[in-house]
Amino acid sequence: MTDKNILVTGGFGFIGSTLVEQLLAEPGNRVHVVDNLSTSPIDVTAFLEVVGNPPNLSYDICSIAEYCTREGDKGKAFREIYHLASPVGPVGVLAYAGKMTEMICGDAYHVINLGLKHDAKVLDISTSEVYGGGRDGYCSEDYSKIIPAKVTVRLEYAVAKLAAEISLVNTTRVTPLRACIIRPFNVAGPRQSPKGGFVLPRFIGQALRNEPLTVYSDGSMVRAFTHVQDIVQGLILTMERGTNGEAYNLGNPANKVTILELAQRVVKIAESQSRIDHVDPKTLFGPLFEEANDKYPDAKRSTEELGWQPRSDVDQVIRDTLHYIRDGRKA
Ligand code: UDP
């Protein structure tokens, strides 16, 4: 096993910190995190303790742009770059309305340049939102993307992510850059923060406080919740085996549920006294809030081509997240 330097942007985020933990466990890996902590759900000191302050972990708390300026010639030779840094969440993105295209595409260009400079393989973490709902929620990598007429903040996020994807893929065609795109579907699990608006930590927090669960509209929205540990396995496999310039869905189609069903399962598993309320999210988060289309993945490309096997069912995702939140963990 040869030593390997790996850069993880957003490595103190929900998915990023879980990935970093996995990467550190592999002998020979040296991990460098660049994170400006703008959406980080963890206490970094607590996280460093959880991973045992290992000598093979280093970090810069700054934006990717700042990191690229600072890096100068002292840069390590990275062999792999996982690019996860991004605004996130249906509520989280609202604060960046009008600025997200520049943020997401600007960071993507920096990452492209780093990938070229270091001759590193780049994994770009995009979003399942690029499908615009696919065909009645079913999203295959082979389908056309759909851009709806209505301009929303969510659309800005999705279109910026798509533009970043396209820049990366085209760069792999005209330069030596090696890159793959990941489109995750409703990642959930320990460390996800309710702050971005994500449904599972919100429902679990409400259930633990015996408050009503806030199901939006009639709760018939369809999602496929996928355990963060499964997603991280998929990221590592894609880095190892993914075809250059290809996009991969990472999401567990077996975990397809409606949001009302999710709420009912949370109440049951948490043994909560909470009732379920149907509410209008715009009354909670303002007029900019928008519901996404139904979405669940065709995961054939990642299961057949990469050998990815998501393991956790919805109840397992709920249980693991519940334990994390109930224990009041900081990382
Ligand atoms: N949702 C809900 N109540 C909440 C938070 C979210 O009913 O308190 C719904 C939301 O409208 C969406 C689904 O849960 O249909 C998943 O929401 P999340 O924000 O986690 O992911 P996304 O909408 O980006 O798929």
Side-chain angles (χ1 to χ4, degrees):
M1 180 72 55
T2 54
D3 285 4
K4 185 163 67 176
N5 286 321
I6 304 170
L7 175 66
V8 182
T9 76
F12 292 143
F14 159 51
I15 304 175
S17 60
T18 312
L19 171 68
V20 166
E21 235 177 341
Q22 281 290 315
L23 293 173
L24 288 172
E26 192 65 41
N29 281 349
R30 283 190 296 260
V31 180
H32 189 77
V33 169
V34 173
D35 197 311
N36 66 2
L37 304 185
S38 57
T39 58
S40 170
I42 55 169
D43 175 323
V44 174
T45 312
F47 175 71
L48 295 174
E49 272 166 32
V50 167
V51 295
N53 283 296
N56 58 336
L57 173 64
S58 55
Y59 58 89
D60 279 298
I61 305 293
C62 64
S63 68
I64 298 173
E66 276 175 273
Y67 174 72
C68 291
T69 324
R70 270 193 216 173
E71 195 207 21
D73 286 323
K74 83 171 163 77
K76 305 171 172 128
F78 291 118
R79 209 171 333 144
E80 298 175 351
I81 301 176
Y82 291 87
H83 175 44
L84 291 104
S86 176
V88 278
V91 179
V93 296
L94 300 181
Y96 301 106
K99 302 192 188 90
M100 252 180 313
T101 311
E102 188 186 356
M103 290 168 76
I104 291 171
C105 293
D107 281 350
Y109 288 123
H110 285 300
V111 168
I112 287 173
N113 288 334
L114 281 172
L116 283 167
K117 181 174 157 194
H118 290 261
D119 190 25
K121 181 166 176 179
V122 171
L123 214 65
D124 174 48
I125 314 309
S126 182
T127 173
S128 48
E129 303 260 321
V130 299
Y131 291 111
R135 295 186 191 161
D136 292 329
Y138 184 63
C139 303
S140 160
E141 295 95 335
D142 296 330
Y143 290 173
S144 298
K145 320 295 182 298
I146 304 157
I147 304 202
K150 187 175 178 195
V151 171
T152 63
V153 183
R154 251 188 133 114
L155 183 66
E156 184 183 347
Y157 171 77
V159 170
K161 286 280 191 182
L162 186 57
E165 280 192 14
I166 293 169
S167 304
L168 256 127
V169 171
N170 279 336
T171 307
T172 65
R173 294 180 177 157
V174 294
T175 73
L177 184 75
R178 291 164 298 129
C180 292
I181 309 295
I182 296 291
R183 299 180 185 141
F185 285 72
N186 290 84
V187 189
R191 297 198 182 121
Q192 189 173 41
S193 162
K195 276 191 221 140
F198 298 106
V199 67
L200 190 57
R202 277 177 59 79
F203 280 179
I204 288 175
Q206 291 162 342
L208 289 174
R209 296 187 297 270
N210 288 315
E211 290 169 6
L213 268 63
T214 53
V215 167
Y216 303 155
S217 64
D218 64 355
S220 64
M221 304 78 90
V222 173
R223 299 288 189 274
F225 291 90
T226 308
H227 201 295
V228 64
Q229 294 285 1
D230 285 329
I231 293 289
V232 161
Q233 287 313 316
L235 299 183
I236 293 171
L237 280 173
T238 315
M239 185 60 95
E240 238 170 67
R241 306 180 187 166
T243 304
N244 191 26
E246 198 66 86
Y248 296 89
N249 285 344
L250 286 182
N252 189 347
N255 287 0
K256 201 176 139 192
V257 282
T258 66
I259 298 305
L260 181 58
E261 196 186 337
L262 181 78
Q264 289 159 344
R265 285 184 189 217
V266 168
V267 170
K268 186 159 171 249
I269 291 172
E271 297 175 349
S272 167
Q273 304 303 314
S274 294
R275 61 169 203 267
I276 290 173
D277 278 357
H278 291 271
V279 302
D280 174 0
K282 287 186 195 286
T283 61
L284 302 177
F285 304 114
L288 288 181
F289 184 93
E290 270 314 315
E291 178 60 61
N293 294 297
D294 286 350
K295 51 184 163 148
Y296 60 98
D298 171 354
K300 280 197 281 302
R301 186 176 288 173
S302 41
T303 53
E304 288 170 13
E305 205 182 295
L306 306 171
W308 182 57
Q309 287 179 312
R311 293 176 201 284
S312 294
D313 63 15
V314 177
D315 287 353
Q316 187 65 47
V317 181
I318 296 172
R319 278 194 298 271
D320 286 359
T321 315
L322 175 73
H323 292 149
Y324 179 85
I325 296 176
R326 198 170 45 196
D327 294 349
R329 287 174 52 190
K330 292 181 175 169

